[in-house]
Amino acid sequence: MARVLTPRAEDFPRWYQDLIAKAKLADNGPVRGTMVIRPAGYAIWERMQAEMDARIKDAGAENAYFPLFIPENYLKREAEHVEGFSPELAVVTHGGGKQLAEPVVVRPTSETVIGEFMAKWVDSYRDLPLLLNQWANVVRWELRPRIFLRTSEFLWQEGHTAHATREDARAYARKILHEAYEDLMVNVLAIPVQVGLKTARERFAGATATYTLEGMMGDGKALQLGTSHELGQNFAKAFDITYSSAEGGREHAWTTSWGTSTRMLGGLIMCHGDDNGLRVPPKLAPIQAYVMVVKDGEGVGEAARKLSDALRDAGVRVALDDRTDTPFGRRAVDAELRGYPVRVEVGPRDLAAGNAVLVRRTDGSKTPVPVADVVGAVHAALAADQQALYDQALAHRESRTREVATLAEAIEAAATGWARVPWSAVGVAGEAEANAQGVTVRCLLRADGSVPDSEDESDLVAILARAY
Amino acid sequence: MARVLTPRAEDFPRWYQDLIAKAKLADNGPVRGTMVIRPAGYAIWERMQAEMDARIKDAGAENAYFPLFIPENYLKREAEHVEGFSPELAVVTHGGGKQLAEPVVVRPTSETVIGEFMAKWVDSYRDLPLLLNQWANVVRWELRPRIFLRTSEFLWQEGHTAHATREDARAYARKILHEAYEDLMVNVLAIPVQVGLKTARERFAGATATYTLEGMMGDGKALQLGTSHELGQNFAKAFDITYSSAEGGREHAWTTSWGTSTRMLGGLIMCHGDDNGLRVPPKLAPIQAYVMVVKDGEGVGEAARKLSDALRDAGVRVALDDRTDTPFGRRAVDAELRGYPVRVEVGPRDLAAGNAVLVRRTDGSKTPVPVADVVGAVHAALAADQQALYDQALAHRESRTREVATLAEAIEAAATGWARVPWSAVGVAGEAEANAQGVTVRCLLRADGSVPDSEDESDLVAILARAY
């Protein structure tokens, strides 16, 4: 097969760009830093959305929609928040042909405007918890854009909740972290994410604690795939979100926020992609089985259609490719690029022997299968390859992770992968030193792998890496 | 029951505002003209989206996503388009802390940016038709905003397609008009829409033909619920969307665009709402059956839970309200406001007789039903009330529509409803005269009710009305 992409080992960033272009996942938009998500990329995003939305609703949150435009003064009410976001804001100064009396910012995130409405809607402890989520576009002006990873506009979901107590807020931030985000990433995206606590330096602007999910990409770098924040009473105080308690007093609420975005598409590509293109985990794939007519011949088209129908009836997401006026080789290369988990190739020669050929994207294997057995074989391949992709990603992460004792060793290990090092050997000063060399503390864990409440706990492990 | 809303007959606009506030469907946003869609309103929008999305995909279009920000110069390339949208644009002049070299506009619609990419993606006739759709927010600065009907930011889907011939483009614009839009509005929203052709004066900026779907609201005014446009070769020429034909020549494509928005929520309220609140057609309703524990008592809570489970198992979208610490009357008023199609009230007295009470929102009827028969009775009520809402809306429209012969009569009839008048009795001059009196030509039809290709056809009927 001719070389279609720059090999990963030769130039990983170039491979990433090549793949996005050749698989027709996305394009750069006309305004610097923006992107066009093409149908092949958007179909994967829609599947991520559907799976995430179901988990968020299972966790009790309801969807709503808040405005794109936020008065500039809202952003300024929480000191750390405005400091964190000011450099990235897009500002609208003219509307309806006139200069605006007060400029409005395009939302970089919605804590402030949602805080304003939570204050209106929450009166008594009976109104809590208030559990909201929205699917929206947000804008953060990017100087070094990269499609899906850092774009000036991206799509995401942002959850915002208000609770009566710190404990409730913490429990909910962690519920979303594990039951929605980790579950989706591990069980659908097949990405073995490391869940942990961000250091004070890496925390969200305005949060008291930020939890993160970090994936290792094909080149050993880390990608933050989602975050969940405890906001303490910072936004409740800035926006006056108060409630009357059962005892009759007036208390400030405790709020959380949490988000995942189209960045997950970048993570998917860089975690599972190979030199032939994308590999989409079967549970996520918009097209799980791609039935191809190899070339025309007695009964071939009809057999392919029947197989396609039988697979669809068996609950498989299927597409039929009978474009025999396009060379088979080119169509097969495109199918590899797109990463369809299974191809079912139907051609005159195999069909004469009663077979179709099952091609698995994960390992590239090609197996003749009797036509009557195709549905069962596809189901088995989809289940096995969901697991295989996860196992490969986990093995890759383990092979590229080093357990070290000192900051210097950790920085060195981060040249090729992740370092696990005692947080006590790094600390705030060590973190600054690592940052100066392009290495960041991705997250902190307890010795048993669980997620700490605070970086002040003893015996914490830090994960250091280069990151996107 | 105490008066909860301003009666429609007293002040229709006030009733509309009251309903939106008291049913907690939406709030005004902090930037003038923007809105917050609250969970109860958003849940209905999500159901509209799901039903519309399925129809759009059935029509062969694929979802994609194009950027929010459009270079100002794109808008200027199509003369009528820029003239139509310039007064409504929001302009970003600063990004990332700096003044931008070229200001960017926030999309009021995406013909221009999508035209740019169609030009890149279309090469040969084999690439046509190109059928795209996106779900997005758009911004059109509004001086007289009204929630859901005219807001500075709204949510919508916008479809954009390119075709090899004018005939293909026309057929597709009409396919979406009838198979997606009309089908959804009639069969799910239960709104008897009038489908027709817009006059040149009312056409979309840049279109060669605009088809529309008009609903009659409770006060006899018209609301445009969706439009589908033939754009001719206007955008293809402005953005150089060309293809090589089978014969080898280079031709400009023919494009279409079509959209429906959160305005449908306003139409739903004003078409079906009554003095007690919203009435949501069963096929659309996020909650079809609302099971209420009237008050605590022997086995009441358990019976309500079992009924709720049985309904859910039978495919009914159900919610259980067992908040007996809130007065039943207040909960019942809220349920009326929200417009749940059916309530199943479970209380100690009826339960002792083996019954629950079925309350139908459409006609307000309350019927004791043996517990074992509730699932069947709910199914029957949902089917009957879907039809009843449509029939009521159609009867209302017919009672408020007058067949007249002259422009003067049509303008008079439009004071209370719709006028049907020969287009030859109106014409371009008459249309301007009507406009001056606040009456517009909503659409043109053929005598047999079908949709004309051009306003120059003979024997056309014009519908004149006041409109939102």
Side-chain angles (χ1 to χ4, degrees), chain B residues 12-20 147-149 266 269-270:
Chain B
F12 195 82
R14 178 68 182 274
W15 164 83
Y16 178 74
Q17 281 190 322
D18 278 6
L19 192 159
I20 287 171
I147 289 185
F148 295 138
L149 302 179
I269 296 167
M270 291 197 297

Side-chain angles (χ1 to χ4, degrees), chain B residues 334-361:
Chain B
D334 282 346
E336 296 272 302
L337 275 167
R338 293 281 175 91
Y340 307 133
V342 165
R343 296 205 302 275
V344 180
E345 299 179 351
V346 185
R349 201 180 316 162
D350 288 305
L351 194 61
N355 291 333
V357 176
L358 193 76
V359 186
R360 289 164 67 169
R361 181 65 182 85

Side-chain angles (χ1 to χ4, degrees), chain B residues 148-166:
Chain B
F148 295 138
L149 302 179
R150 282 191 311 273
T151 48
S152 291
E153 178 193 10
F154 55 91
L155 305 182
W156 78 344
Q157 61 66 218
E158 52 178 319
H160 298 268
T161 69
H163 305 261
T165 66
R166 169 174 224 155

Side-chain angles (χ1 to χ4, degrees), chain A residues 27-31 34-39 42 46 53 57 62-71 74 87-97 100 104 106-107 113 117 120-121 126 132 137 139 141 153 155 325, chain B residues 27-31 34-39 42 46 53 57 62-71 74 87-97 100 104 106-107 113 117 120-121 126 132 137 139 141 153 155 325:
Chain A
D27 257 356
N28 289 308
V31 172
T34 64
M35 65 177 161
V36 173
I37 308 177
R38 301 183 68 172
Y42 200 84
E46 280 187 313
D53 196 64
K57 284 174 175 155
E62 294 183 298
N63 285 341
Y65 186 77
F66 292 82
L68 174 71
F69 293 147
I70 300 181
Y74 279 29
E88 302 175 355
L89 297 178
V91 184
V92 176
T93 54
H94 289 72
L100 302 178
V104 300
V106 182
R107 64 180 163 221
V113 65
F117 283 88
K120 282 191 193 182
W121 297 339
R126 291 168 196 264
L132 299 172
N137 53 344
V139 169
W141 214 261
E153 179 193 9
L155 304 183
D325 53 349
Chain B
D27 258 354
N28 289 305
V31 172
T34 63
M35 65 178 161
V36 173
I37 308 178
R38 301 183 68 173
Y42 200 83
E46 279 186 314
D53 196 65
K57 284 174 175 155
E62 294 184 297
N63 285 340
Y65 187 77
F66 291 82
L68 175 70
F69 293 147
I70 301 181
Y74 279 29
E88 303 175 354
L89 297 177
V91 184
V92 176
T93 53
H94 290 73
L100 302 178
V104 300
V106 182
R107 64 179 163 222
V113 64
F117 284 88
K120 283 192 193 183
W121 299 339
R126 292 169 195 264
L132 299 172
N137 53 345
V139 169
W141 214 262
E153 178 193 10
L155 305 182
D325 54 350

Side-chain angles (χ1 to χ4, degrees), chain B residues 305-318:
Chain B
R305 264 191 307 282
K306 278 189 181 165
L307 273 175
S308 166
D309 291 345
L311 286 163
R312 186 173 293 112
D313 291 347
V316 176
R317 294 187 290 275
V318 62

Side-chain angles (χ1 to χ4, degrees), chain A residues 104-380:
Chain A
V104 300
V105 302
V106 182
R107 64 180 163 221
T109 177
S110 302
E111 278 74 10
T112 61
V113 65
I114 294 181
E116 177 81 3
F117 283 88
M118 284 180 161
K120 282 191 193 182
W121 297 339
V122 171
D123 177 37
S124 127
Y125 68 95
R126 291 168 196 264
D127 300 321
L128 297 176
L130 177 59
L131 310 175
L132 299 172
N133 179 63
Q134 79 172 354
W135 291 94
N137 53 344
V138 287
V139 169
R140 300 176 185 180
W141 214 261
E142 268 299 342
L143 299 177
R144 292 165 300 129
R146 191 175 298 192
I147 288 185
F148 297 136
L149 303 178
R150 282 191 312 272
T151 46
S152 291
E153 179 193 9
F154 55 91
L155 304 183
W156 77 343
Q157 60 67 219
E158 51 178 322
H160 298 269
T161 69
H163 305 260
T165 66
R166 171 174 223 152
E167 292 64 39
D168 275 2
R170 171 165 297 171
Y172 200 79
R174 285 176 174 249
K175 181 184 181 76
I176 289 292
L177 181 75
H178 294 294
E179 294 176 20
Y181 293 178
E182 185 180 11
D183 184 66
L184 178 93
M185 291 171 194
V186 168
N187 294 317
V188 180
L189 274 53
I191 301 178
V193 285
Q194 178 66 62
V195 186
L197 177 74
K198 286 287 187 194
T199 62
R201 191 184 179 102
E202 297 284 335
R203 217 182 262 158
F204 177 74
T208 58
T210 289
Y211 304 106
T212 181
L213 305 101
E214 304 277 328
M216 182 186 279
M217 304 295 101
D219 60 354
K221 284 191 184 179
L223 180 73
Q224 176 182 304
L225 283 155
T227 48
S228 182
H229 316 288
E230 290 179 46
L231 304 173
Q233 295 181 308
N234 292 346
F235 287 87
K237 286 179 177 165
F239 287 88
D240 207 23
I241 310 169
T242 62
Y243 69 95
S244 55
S245 69
E247 297 74 34
R250 199 78 198 168
E251 309 282 347
H252 280 104
W254 298 78
T255 68
T256 81
S257 68
W258 25 278
T260 54
S261 74
T262 36
R263 172 172 261 219
M264 288 192 289
L265 285 164
L268 187 82
I269 297 167
M270 293 197 296
C271 181
H272 297 307
D274 67 16
D275 288 347
N276 295 324
L278 186 55
R279 298 188 299 173
V280 187
K283 282 191 191 170
L284 180 66
I287 295 171
Q288 296 175 308
Y290 192 66
V291 178
M292 301 181 74
V293 176
V294 177
K295 60 178 179 179
D296 292 325
E298 174 88 21
V300 174
E302 197 194 332
R305 263 190 307 282
K306 279 189 182 167
L307 273 175
S308 167
D309 291 344
L311 286 163
R312 187 173 293 113
D313 291 346
V316 176
R317 293 186 291 274
V318 62
L320 174 64
D321 175 0
D322 55 5
R323 299 170 297 145
T324 47
D325 53 349
T326 302
F328 174 73
R330 201 171 116 193
R331 291 185 286 137
V333 166
D334 282 345
E336 296 271 303
L337 275 167
R338 293 281 176 92
Y340 307 133
V342 165
R343 294 206 302 275
V344 179
E345 300 179 352
V346 185
R349 200 179 318 164
D350 288 306
L351 193 61
N355 290 335
V357 176
L358 193 75
V359 186
R360 290 164 66 170
R361 181 64 184 85
T362 298
D363 62 5
S365 65
K366 300 185 184 200
T367 316
V369 174
V371 167
D373 299 344
V374 163
V375 171
V378 166
H379 269 300

Side-chain angles (χ1 to χ4, degrees), chain B residues 400-402 404 408-420 464:
Chain B
R400 294 274 200 122
T401 299
R402 278 171 54 198
V404 298
E409 289 172 312
I411 291 173
E412 195 209 319
T416 54
W418 291 8
R420 290 172 54 94
L464 270 68

Side-chain angles (χ1 to χ4, degrees), chain B residues 242-260:
Chain B
T242 61
Y243 69 95
S244 55
S245 68
E247 296 74 36
R250 198 81 197 165
E251 308 282 347
H252 281 102
W254 298 79
T255 68
T256 81
S257 68
W258 25 278
T260 56

